[in-house]
């Protein structure tokens, strides 16, 4: 067998049956690099209402970084030292801003019917991210290790028992809630957020309802 | 916490009652009003530099 024959039998990168090649081809087909990292946006994006999505992500990054510091240093540090209280406040107020920005983002997208133009998956991932955020915030309130957390946990315990899920999800079990809050839910929320942003890149930013057809393109 | 902030925050929540079917804490109402104001401002206020932008566009392909 000659070298020529070997070369002719070797599949090209485009027609390889390897899962890596199929994944790469699918990615390039759906989300080429110029769509993933654009340097221009439609004219209608020059509006403050389009800023709240990235503001939500900025608040999310603040929450992740401050949460990482809190997780390593622990409650004995963040309840007693000045720096600990500051980082704890960064985390708490970051969450407040996160929800404020996300709700304004949601209102903006709802009133411009942002699911138009095959953007259903973008809308659905945003909705799931919102629900996951509520769960993450709730478990965060439960692990404040203060009287507020105790009050919320014991009120929630009765609620969860009433709907029959108290055996699986126990707000008073701080070990369970701590792990769900610092390990599971940030990962879930992070993955959903990445999917959401990739879908926005794939389909483009939704145009206003009255956008001219040539601008909407 | 000490000072005016603790005097403001370390007290039981105040509630507003609308007839008998709705009650809301003042703090929650303030947050909702802030969000409504932000939404209105985001719609109404001009975006800096929006007039000098070209009509470059990239939509759903």
């Amino acid at each position: 067998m000659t070298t020529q024959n070997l070369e002719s039998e070797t599949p090209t990168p485009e027609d390889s049956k390897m899962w890596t090649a199929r994944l790469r081809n699918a990615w390039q087909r759906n989300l080429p690099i110029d769509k993933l990292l654009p340097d221009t946006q439609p004219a209608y994006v020059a509006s403050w209402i389009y800023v709240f999505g990235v503001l939500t992500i900025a608040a999310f990054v603040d929450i992740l970084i401050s949460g990482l510091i809190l997780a390593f240093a622990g409650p004995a540090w963040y309840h007693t030292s000045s720096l600990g209280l500051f980082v704890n406040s960064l985390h708490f107020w970051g969450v407040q801003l996160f929800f404020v920005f996300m709700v304004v983002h949601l209102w903006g997208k709802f009133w411009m019917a942002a699911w138009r133009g095959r953007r259903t998956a973008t809308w659905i991932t945003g909705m799931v991210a919102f629900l996951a955020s509520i769960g993450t915030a709730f478990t965060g309130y439960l692990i404040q290790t203060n009287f507020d957390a105790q009050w919320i946990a014991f009120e929630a315990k009765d609620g969860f028992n009433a709907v029959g899920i108290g055996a699986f999800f126990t707000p008073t079990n701080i070990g369970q809630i701590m792990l769900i809050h610092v390990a599971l839910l940030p990962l879930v929320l992070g993955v959903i957020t990445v999917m959401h942003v990739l879908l926005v890149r794939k389909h483009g930013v939704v145009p206003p309802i009255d956008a001219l057809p040539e601008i909407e393109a | 916490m000490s000072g005016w902030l603790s005097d403001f925050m370390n007290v039981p929540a105040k509630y507003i009652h609308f007839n008998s079917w709705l009650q809301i804490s003042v703090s929650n109402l303030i947050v909702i009003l802030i969000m409504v104001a932000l939404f209105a401002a985001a719609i109404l206020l001009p975006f800096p530099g929006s007039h000098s932008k070209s009509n470059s566009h990239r939509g759903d392909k």
Side-chain angles (χ1 to χ4, degrees), chain A residues 78-79 134-157 160 169-178 180-181 185:
Chain A
Y78 62 71
H79 274 318
I134 293 173
T136 313
F138 172 65
T139 51
Y141 277 108
L142 292 175
I143 58 168
Q144 292 176 105
T145 53
N146 59 16
F147 290 125
D148 192 24
Q150 283 188 16
W151 171 261
I152 296 168
F154 279 81
E155 292 294 306
K157 166 183 68 68
F160 286 124
F169 188 80
T170 315
T172 55
N173 182 349
I174 195 167
Q176 183 195 51
I177 301 301
M178 179 80 80
I180 289 175
H181 181 76
L185 288 176

Side-chain angles (χ1 to χ4, degrees), chain A:
Chain A
M1 189 177 286
T2 64
T3 308
Q4 178 106 18
N5 284 341
L6 268 178
E7 280 177 357
S8 64
E9 288 170 9
T10 306
T12 59
E14 286 72 28
D15 56 13
S16 169
K17 294 286 187 273
M18 285 280 289
W19 69 268
T20 49
R22 282 188 276 123
L23 180 63
R24 183 182 64 242
N25 292 336
W27 184 287
Q28 286 173 346
R29 199 167 48 248
N30 286 294
L31 197 58
I33 193 69
D34 63 323
K35 265 192 168 186
L36 182 64
L37 298 171
D39 57 349
T40 58
Q41 286 291 339
Y44 50 77
V45 175
S47 163
W48 285 110
I49 197 64
Y50 284 97
V51 173
F52 284 86
V54 77
L55 280 178
T56 308
I57 292 176
F60 185 48
V61 171
D62 163 75
I63 296 165
L64 286 178
I65 294 173
S66 57
L68 202 62
I69 298 170
L70 294 176
F72 272 93
W77 172 74
Y78 62 71
H79 274 318
T80 55
S81 72
S82 298
L83 183 60
L85 288 166
F86 176 72
V87 177
N88 198 9
S89 296
L90 272 183
H91 195 67
F92 177 82
W93 289 106
V95 173
Q96 314 308 309
L97 287 175
F98 175 79
F99 273 94
V100 165
F101 294 150
M102 187 162 52
V103 167
V104 176
H105 177 63
L106 168 64
W107 288 346
K109 296 305 164 189
F110 177 79
W111 289 110
M112 66 175 77
W115 50 84
R116 288 174 294 131
R118 291 177 294 167
R119 292 179 177 85
T120 309
T122 315
W123 178 262
I124 295 292
T125 50
M127 189 189 71
V128 174
F130 186 51
L131 293 175
S133 302
I134 293 173
T136 313
F138 172 65
T139 51
Y141 277 108
L142 292 175
I143 58 168
Q144 292 176 105
T145 53
N146 59 16
F147 290 125
D148 192 24
Q150 283 188 16
W151 171 261
I152 296 168
F154 279 81
E155 292 294 306
K157 166 183 68 68
D158 293 339
F160 286 124
N161 285 335
V163 295
I165 59 172
F168 311 102
F169 188 80
T170 315
T172 55
N173 182 349
I174 195 167
Q176 183 195 51
I177 301 301
M178 179 80 80
L179 285 171
I180 289 175
H181 181 76
V182 305
L184 178 65
L185 288 176
L187 185 66
V188 170
L189 194 52
V191 169
I192 296 170
T193 305
V194 168
M195 288 171 61
H196 186 68
V197 172
L198 290 179
L199 283 164
V200 172
R201 290 297 193 219
K202 174 175 160 52
H203 295 291
V205 179
V206 68
I209 289 174
D210 57 352
L212 296 171
E214 61 268 27
I215 293 179
E216 187 169 351

Side-chain angles (χ1 to χ4, degrees), chain A residues 34-35 40-43 46-49 51-52 100 103-104 107-108 111 117-119 203 214-215 217, chain B residues 9 31-32 34-36 38-39 41-43 45-48 50 53-61:
Chain A
D34 63 323
K35 265 192 168 186
T40 58
Q41 286 291 339
S47 163
W48 285 110
I49 197 64
V51 173
F52 284 86
V100 165
V103 167
V104 176
W107 288 346
W111 289 110
R118 291 177 294 167
R119 292 179 177 85
H203 295 291
E214 61 268 27
I215 293 179
Chain B
M9 296 186 76
V31 171
I32 291 169
I34 287 173
M35 290 192 295
V36 172
L38 266 178
F39 180 72
I43 297 292
L45 290 181
F47 194 76
S50 59
K53 293 276 184 188
S54 66
N55 275 341
S56 63
H57 61 275
R58 283 187 26 146
D60 188 7
K61 289 182 180 173

